[in-house]
Amino acid sequence: MALEPRKRRATAKPSVIDFSDSEDEDLKPKKRTRRNYSDDEYCQPSEEPPRRTRAPAQPKERTERRPAVKASKPRGTATTDKEYSKPKVTRKATDPENDSESSRHGKYMSDNGSDGEGDAGTAGLRLEEPHSSDKRGMDSMPGSSTVRMEWNESDLLAQTAGLDDWVARNLVKLFEDDNTIPFIARYRKEMTRNMEPEQLRHAKETFEEIKHIQHKAATMLKSIEKLGKLTSDIRRSIVCARSLNELDLINTPFKTGSKRTLAERARQLGLDDAARTIMDGSEHVSLSQFVVRDKDGLRDISEVQTGVQHIIADIISKDRNVLDLVSDLRKSSNIRLESTRAKGTVAKEMAKGHDKEKSAAKVKSMTASEKQKLQAKVDEESKYRNYFEFNMNVKFIKPHQVLAINRGENQKELTVRVIVPDVVLDKLMSFCHRNWLSKGLQYELRSSLITESVKDSYSRLIQPLITRQVRSELNQSAERASIEVFAANLKKLLLMPPFRGRKVLAIDPGFRNGCKVALLNQSGDVLEVGLINLNCGRRTWDIRDDGDAQWIREILLKHRCDVVAVGNGTACRETEEFLSELIQKGFFKPLDVSYTIVNEQGASIYSCSEEAKNEFPDMDPNFISAVSLARRLQDPLAELVKVEPKHLGIGMYQHDLSEKKLSNTLDEIVVECVSFVGVDLNTAPHCLLRRVAGLNSSKATKILEHRQKQGPFLTRDDIKKVKGIGGKSFEQCAGFIRILPQTIGNRNAVAKCNPLDRTWIHPESYSFASRFLSYCDVSLDDIGSPEAIRNIAKAVDSAGGIASLAALLDTNEATLKLVADGLQMPTNHDLRSEFEKPLFRKGLTSINALHSGDILTGRITNTTHFGAFVDIGVGQNGLIHNSGMGGKHPQFGEKVQVKVLNVERARQRIGLQLLAIL
């Protein structure tokens, strides 16, 4: 990924990075050992814009540094910021009592010595720059395993992701300390300026790419040094590179097994000194002295001149200042992406399923008019017809357009070009004239040779580089945007409110093998399973003679169940029609039955999984899928986490994206949703526990084993007794696990519980939470009661709000807001209750009954960059194009009111206009 600054180029002193000695570029680099700021400091914003200051000059004498000795602590103790954040500071005199109350936020860097947003105990902290003798210069030995880039991670992260410097420094520290996204998003808000999880994921991805650049640079330096070709210019180009594309350009001549470049061949002929002398203009050069009549490449002056030109072109293309200029021009110029219809599309279309030679011959025998008509027909039917004459500035191309063009190019339907305006070459010529030609001796050979070399460098090296970078950035931007669509849709799907306390009959529709039916009780236990046939194709039938309808009625009445969940797969609409007619005829009376459509994507995959076999060892997999549908309605999160996110049928262009990036992002979304909703440590199954931040599959297994052998957990601290749950794991997961008294059972054991363990407040803030409760005159045992909630809200309002109360209690706003919100949540509060509930129906409309102008309600089933798809209950989702949104932005799962604009029954397309988000 080309990491280009959004604000400014890095000018900070470079840092020393320790890389692995391995030559394998795929291996991950070791963690950094030095940066140009203290390793154990977090940063906070200053009152003025942060400025980088330099320590006073110190004598350049080498001093020995003793290795740091970590203070011992009990095994399994949670690691807090207090323990790993130890900046070199000067502390003003403070009240000993207040100082002892110093919270987890008390020790992170302040740019101006103020306490900023720091918690208790941070007043008077002042950062002291590291001693100049501690700042090592660049290792002068080529190929050393320690190499310093001309930028550091935090500076490049700040520029690339558009972050403040202090936020970027904190993020680097947080990521390198293996903190999870949910933990940072909820419990380190003051260090990230309240960044959302999506922003944190983007920053983490950028940081990992930066580390990849550093590792690849170190590997390149080693390999080039081993070849004996590492010069000071090449070293500088490598350590200044800010993208993998730049490193690839520099590394091209040195790749093992690659063809030698033109410049490399010319250098082997001994023309390097001549080329550099001509560029410097230090003395007059005559090319005739290099002519060797019997040597290829030196036979005459023309060949010598060509070789020198290739070397000069190579030097120009890798010059750091030229690359910076090209980067700036790429951003400011009107670079366009053009796609046209690929040649031979008529013959290719005719050849589908036929003999290619005969088809080609038939096309060849056609008249021009016949070819034109056939081509028009092919164009009309092609899904890429919108891109047959596409030309747009790369700054304005939408992500879905990029992905569509890429797919069309891969399928040989489109020809794609990047058009770079001539002004780029003109400005490059002017720059090279100022930088080289205007200096040194002036003579005709030098002037013409440098001018031609610039043109050659541009056409052969620089313009292709621009094209690669533009396509790469477009692809990566489109890929990231599509992954974000996947992530947003998955998050909405996982956070659908649970439909608790109701029995559910689920139907997994099917034609050939019939419809699988499962009826579950309120706890998700299976009560009935069976198989029915829909008699599809019969518009009317005698209900009294239909055994399947009678059986459904019997089990619904038997178990007093009035909710039906229908899978949205094959035969979904026929099943819907079947239920609609039964409901409208009052077949289920006295029950008032309604149904809803449930996304069944991935249900069949789960039904055949090892996890399903362990859960239902004696059940047919066909019925397991129906059970899964019912549970998806009762508790979507608990059931959907059993399926790999990529199988849930959300997003767009899934197969055109990096599978690794998509899987990683979707997995992080699952962890985020499970963590933010929280899990009951005494009842959560393995599939949920393994998705909690800080835990994994093996730790979840050990928790279940401990729970089975030792009984229920009584406090959050008890999880430390589980083998494998150390201080870091506890720190990351503690805020996301709950200890609920009602699931412990033993009344005597319940008395040992800490009421704060039911909230989202992290144990590291329990001390402050107790102090806050005392201020509000609320006891621990009253947490979650209506009276306690009123008292807390009243205390905050009477103090003048969060900011005023934070100053009064000597803490920061983020900590106070987190604690206050956690204590004001009612008992058994569920985060998902804030989202839209399932949409239930009692009737069905056919697409054939739709007309332009009809007003309908439905639910958003998918969102893309060009619009949103809506289930309006007619067997085919309608599309609200961006042009019909009216400035609104409906999200996945939301109920909407729409107007039908057009109905294309032959193509099964419905155009909608958004009227309101309900």
Side-chain angles (χ1 to χ4, degrees), residues 44-45 103-106 108 115-120 122 186-191 193-194 760 765 768 771-772 796 799-822 824:
Q44 71 180 29
S103 74
R104 61 185 173 86
H105 308 293
Y108 49 88
D115 56 349
E117 295 182 5
D119 200 348
T122 61
R186 177 171 285 180
Y187 300 113
R188 295 294 182 262
K189 288 178 178 291
E190 74 287 356
M191 298 173 189
R193 187 171 277 173
N194 298 320
W760 69 16
S765 297
F768 173 75
R771 189 154 57 95
F772 176 70
V796 173
I802 292 290
S804 301
L805 186 55
L808 181 64
L809 296 178
D810 197 17
T811 187
N812 63 71
E813 294 182 37
T815 301
L816 178 58
K817 189 173 190 314
L818 183 74
V819 171
D821 289 347
Q824 290 183 82

Side-chain angles (χ1 to χ4, degrees), residues 682 710-714 739-753:
N682 289 313
Q710 305 297 331
F713 295 92
L714 302 183
I739 306 294
L740 303 180
Q742 56 267 37
T743 61
I744 294 177
N746 189 329
R747 291 186 178 181
N748 295 328
V750 170
K752 300 179 183 178
C753 296

